[in-house]
Amino acid sequence: MKKTRQPKWLETAVFYEIYPQSFYDSNADGIGDIEGIIEKLDYIKTLGCNAIWMNPCFASPFLDAGYDISDYYTVAPRYGTNADIKRLFEEVHKRDMHILLDLVPGHTSWDHPWFKESCKATKNEFTDRYIWTDSVWEGPENMGSLHGISERCGSVGVNFFSHQPALNYGYYKTKKPWEQKMTDEGPQKTLEAMIDVMRFWLKMGCDGFRCDMAHSLVKRDENSKGTISTWNKIRKFMDAEFPNAAILSEWGEPDKSLAGGFHMDFLLHFGPSHYNDLFRCEKPYFSPEGAGSAKQFVKTYKANYEKTDGKGLMCIPSGNHDMSRLSYQLKESELPLAFAFILSMPGAPFIYYGDEIGMRYLAGIPSVEGGYERTGSRSPMQWDKSVNAGFSAAPADKLYIMTDPDENRPDAATQINDPSSLYSCVKKLIAFRQAHSALGSTAEIEFVSDGYPLVYRRKDKNESILVVIQPSAKPAEIKAAGEVICSIGKGGSLSDGTLNLSGESAVFVLEK
Ligand code: NOJ
């Protein structure tokens, strides 16, 4: 298949997701900040990650942790200034790393000046920036709406929470008189405005964007055709002006998102990928009982792989700020195996901050800034054994989110010095991936077995590596030839064409 051009750096990218609120507080006000991220860049680099995705850091009333933007062009004062983020880009690049910002193209905050203007009865530049009906008594079909809030007689569609009015990119098929076509002036201006936002940050030095709810732009969108064509226009702009920048979608349907020009899409906890079957369900595949199944995941992955091979990357995250942490439903012994999988699959792997030390999901803690049950995955990074786990010098009751109260909570400083820690294992797996081109983002994959153990072959023109992962406590025996070049857990031994693998282990065989 003809390969689509990708920025070179994506071929070896291993991402680290930073939730800026909770990463490192440099000025003791209880919340993380950009200076704090700069101070911890060497930690990320030493772990082996060479790319970052940072959650939204723009001006916002923070009713959804910053996914409700009120000014796309200004860093939220609580994190620093535009000059600080420019310095962050420079410090990232000095270390030969890359950084994606979080772009929220589908909606703004109801505090955004565009929205305030669009609520006015008199026609103005922003009248069609959002999806308005022509009557306060009728909302748009198939989406939530607000009504009775404006001088204008109309209802406005919302994209997610009620305070996030949906930007207007038009309807693929129009039905009602007030529904606008994608080619109408309002939707065209929205797209121009969003491209302008992207251009602003790319010029300042960021390396691209993770695009929030990327599937959501065009409404009544048969098979996402309108949204795909909208993203292709964005990709065209990027290729022309910033060919080394990348876009990553929160979509979860790579056949569609990559056709829309995205360089990468996530396999996620929602959508049809069966990602949850592996890590987050009643009986996850990664569990010593060996009672889960990877079959549906592998089947879906293969189908997607066939449709998308050469067009872009399907990325598997260890977790993110919207789902419970990896350690929640997996036992401690399974975390290294989950990482052996995540870090040996095609696509760019994503590590959610703190997952590399097995941070816990804090079930039931009070919701912060529209986090609700997601708040439990957003607690402060645990750096060391000092006060507030080394996250902040503020009094504990001033912290943005409470720290894990467990006195045995894991921390980075301890694990860095322990060769048997999860941190050391993750670091070893990243270095191993980077040392073998067959484990890279675009090298081939061929599944050999989707039971227990999970077996797949990664190969490119240089080498072929058989990955064998046995989450079950039972030992396994499979046919293999070559040399074991990396083991996790007790590992296994190869003789006479047979690999004998201990339970809860993973091995990588360099095939001869
Ligand atoms: C997905 C983001 O990851 C999530 O945190 C946010 O609440 C919604 N999109 C709405 O923007």
Side-chain angles (χ1 to χ4, degrees), residues 231-362:
W231 281 111
N232 270 313
K233 290 186 189 133
I234 294 177
R235 173 66 187 265
K236 211 167 152 195
F237 139 75
M238 292 190 55
D239 283 350
E241 296 182 33
F242 302 94
N244 280 323
I247 42 175
L248 155 72
S249 48
E250 184 199 34
W251 193 318
E253 291 178 274
D255 54 327
K256 292 182 180 157
S257 53
L258 301 187
F262 277 98
H263 301 93
M264 304 175 267
D265 188 16
F266 278 125
L267 301 184
L268 285 167
H269 53 304
F270 58 80
S273 72
H274 289 271
Y275 166 83
N276 272 351
D277 298 5
L278 306 179
F279 315 114
R280 290 174 183 80
C281 60
E282 210 179 303
K283 288 182 183 154
Y285 175 75
F286 286 95
S287 65
E289 294 76 26
S293 171
K295 287 194 190 319
Q296 290 303 322
F297 172 82
V298 171
K299 189 170 164 214
T300 320
Y301 190 94
K302 276 173 149 172
N304 273 326
Y305 189 74
E306 265 164 39
K307 285 188 219 158
T308 61
D309 188 24
K311 288 198 188 130
L313 308 179
M314 291 195 278
C315 300
I316 305 181
S318 69
N320 70 23
H321 59 290
D322 289 333
M323 53 177 126
S324 60
R325 283 202 180 260
L326 192 63
S327 63
Y328 191 50
Q329 270 157 315
L330 301 189
K331 303 211 165 65
E332 220 177 310
S333 57
E334 296 295 312
L335 294 175
L337 303 180
F339 276 108
F341 167 75
I342 292 166
L343 292 166
S344 66
M345 285 292 282
F350 277 73
I351 299 177
Y352 182 50
Y353 82 96
D355 278 354
E356 75 279 15
I357 55 168
M359 269 176 62
R360 296 191 318 140
Y361 171 66
L362 308 185

Side-chain angles (χ1 to χ4, degrees), residues 369-388:
E369 292 186 344
Y372 303 102
E373 76 284 356
R374 304 176 296 180
T375 309
S377 294
R378 300 174 177 186
S379 60
M381 174 68 183
Q382 292 153 206
W383 292 106
D384 55 38
K385 295 213 180 303
S386 66
V387 175
N388 299 328

Side-chain angles (χ1 to χ4, degrees), residues 159-171:
N159 225 27
F160 194 68
F161 287 137
S162 306
H163 52 76
Q164 289 160 324
L167 284 163
N168 179 20
Y169 292 86
Y171 279 71

